[in-house]
Amino acid sequence: MTTATASVFGAVHLGYIVIETDRFADWRRFGSDAIGMHHDALSHDLMRFRLDDQECRFLLRRGPAEDVVATGWHIDDHTSLERIEARIRAHGVPVVQGTEEETALRGVERLLRFPGPKGITQEIYTTPTLSAEPLRMLTSGFVTGDSGMGHVAITSTRPARLRGYFNTVFDARLTDCIDETISGVKLKIRFLRVNERHHSIAVAATQGLPVDPIRTRVQHLNIQAATLDDVARSYQRVHELGFDMALSVGQHTNDKELSYYARTPSGFEWEVGWNPLVIDEDTWEPTTHQGISVWGHLPVGQTIVDKLAQFRAGARSLTRTEDTVPALSGAGIPDEAPAHRSPEVSSLFHTRQADQADLGIEGGPGHERP
């Protein structure tokens, strides 16, 4: 008999993403020709991308959302899956079993679905189906395994509630925080982990004013390239194929990942990174870093139209209530007493801000990009 209160930390891994889009031709070029993933066309309304031998890492279905509509979490065993299910049901939240068709499309053995923050359905599964078909990719590979396949970044007006949600469901732990000031607006980004990966979920929020400047449910998705050469070559392909680049190559202050951000055909961003640090649970202590990047991650091609669109999105967010699934998020988890700020990057960050001001770049690197 499973015990709902027993921890599932370490048994949870980001496994796949479901995206709804009407821009199939653009996504096909972006995913396979630019980023370099393996592409499988299933039908007029369905396609998948692979990163490794798992049959599905990204499932794209035809529809108007132009957004992520579900995240799939690989659970190590049936006992851990049943623990999570028991928690969710104990809080009065419905859990739906996936149909045979849904299970087959995702390439998994057992699938359960339940409501998630910002309308993103959360799905948990066991035993992914492995494909015997050789990978056809323009890259040497991607890092998945025990760390999962990357991370999801979300902007929120209620970050404590989101932290409470993922703590209740997955026993997520706070890895660290980043404070960033952009054009006088203070941002705090909280990084949550469910296994050895530095973070599988990032939650960014403005401080003092509860606005959400991002139209889409997610701000960006991240995948981890196997080599630095893979990052450089995909960066070049994104440029050559005419896709928008959001942020140039740079290195983050907290997980030390070297990465760039491209803009997907659906509008949210896609980070390709390399060599983030791996957490040692015996020694790790959360800290607060100043600034999102040690170097790089400069905005590319941002116009006044883009800034106005963000302003309008933020203004609209004031008129609606963000769904946090209160039964699971509860009162939320407030920030602890301020952790120490990372001193090694503080002077670099302020120097970088001054350099950008001299260049006339407004907003600065890492703006709303956890």
Side-chain angles (χ1 to χ4, degrees):
M1 183 176 180
T2 61
T3 304
T5 56
S7 179
V8 296
F9 181 87
V12 181
H13 322 273
L14 183 61
Y16 62 75
I17 301 288
V18 183
I19 298 167
E20 186 176 286
T21 178
D22 277 326
R23 299 169 181 167
F24 264 43
D26 290 338
W27 265 104
R28 161 72 171 81
R29 291 179 62 248
F30 179 82
S32 60
D33 298 340
I35 303 302
M37 299 182 290
H38 173 105
H39 171 261
D40 287 317
L42 305 182
S43 70
H44 177 264
D45 296 323
L46 294 165
M47 68 178 177
R48 295 191 298 210
F49 292 111
R50 288 172 56 199
L51 302 177
D52 53 13
D53 57 356
Q54 188 165 319
E55 204 168 62
C56 176
R57 289 298 189 178
F58 295 94
L59 172 63
L60 279 71
R61 70 188 192 203
R62 198 172 294 275
E66 300 302 342
D67 209 342
V68 169
V69 294
T71 53
W73 300 89
H74 177 197
I75 311 302
D76 278 346
D77 52 70
H78 293 288
T79 299
S80 296
L81 182 136
E82 288 162 7
R83 277 190 192 126
I84 296 169
E85 179 185 8
R87 293 178 186 184
I88 297 164
R89 292 190 186 278
H91 284 81
V93 175
V95 179
V96 177
Q97 185 168 323
T99 65
E100 287 187 13
E101 180 184 14
E102 290 169 337
T103 302
L105 282 174
R106 291 154 176 78
V108 300
E109 179 187 84
R110 185 179 179 189
L111 175 67
L112 299 175
R113 201 169 59 244
F114 50 94
K118 296 194 73 171
I120 304 172
T121 298
Q122 301 297 300
E123 301 180 351
I124 54 176
Y125 68 92
T126 59
T127 319
T129 303
L130 304 183
S131 176
E133 182 182 354
L135 287 165
R136 303 183 305 275
M137 301 195 300
L138 301 178
T139 181
S140 67
F142 295 95
V143 178
T144 53
D146 290 340
S147 297
M149 71 167 197
H151 65 250
V152 178
I154 303 170
T155 53
S156 174
T157 60
R158 310 183 86 176
R161 292 287 186 91
L162 262 68
R163 204 177 143 194
Y165 178 96
F166 288 109
N167 176 263
T168 297
V169 176
F170 295 138
D171 295 307
R173 300 176 182 177
L174 178 69
T175 301
D176 50 33
C177 299
I178 288 179
D179 288 339
E180 178 81 277
T181 301
I182 305 296
S183 300
V185 177
K186 294 182 179 180
L187 296 172
K188 180 175 283 291
I189 310 167
R190 299 154 180 88
F191 297 84
L192 309 178
R193 69 186 187 278
V194 293
N195 54 53
E196 65 181 12
R197 185 178 287 278
H198 178 276
H199 62 284
S200 294
I201 306 146
V203 181
T206 58
Q207 300 188 62
L209 184 63
V211 298
D212 184 350
I214 304 299
R215 174 193 66 80
T216 50
R217 296 183 180 104
V218 301
Q219 191 278 324
H220 77 259
L221 302 177
N222 164 282
I223 56 175
Q224 183 181 339
T227 70
L228 182 57
D229 186 64
D230 290 328
V231 174
R233 290 182 181 275
S234 65
Y235 184 88
Q236 181 179 17
R237 291 193 300 267
V238 168
H239 271 296
E240 291 176 346
L241 291 172
F243 291 103
D244 290 340
M245 190 67 67
L247 292 180
S248 64
V249 175
Q251 186 176 31
H252 288 303
T253 54
N254 57 346
D255 66 359
K256 311 305 179 186
E257 185 171 29
L258 188 146
S259 68
Y260 70 86
Y261 294 74
R263 189 164 288 111
T264 68
S266 293
F268 57 85
E269 294 173 17
W270 189 287
E271 182 185 20
V272 178
W274 171 75
N275 200 34
L277 60 81
V278 175
I279 298 298
D280 181 347
E281 294 297 333
D282 293 330
T283 60
W284 189 264
E285 292 289 340
T287 58
T288 297
H289 299 260
Q290 282 292 96
I292 201 77
S293 306
V294 178
W295 59 269
H297 288 145
L298 297 173
V300 178
Q302 191 175 50
T303 67
I304 188 63
V305 174
D306 299 322
K307 300 293 288 183
L308 287 172
Q310 286 186 341
F311 177 81
R312 286 193 294 269
R316 284 194 296 270
S317 73
L318 290 169
T319 66
R320 61 179 184 269
T321 301
E322 181 180 319
D323 184 10
T324 60
V325 194
L328 291 173
S329 62
I333 300 178
D335 291 334
E336 295 85 355
H340 76 268
R341 300 178 186 277
S342 176
E344 73 277 9
V345 299
S346 183
S347 61
L348 285 171
F349 171 63
H350 291 298
T351 299
R352 189 165 53 103
Q353 282 190 313
D355 290 343
Q356 288 169 354
D358 291 341
L359 292 170
I361 299 173
E362 184 178 359
H367 180 34
E368 297 145 357
R369 292 175 177 89

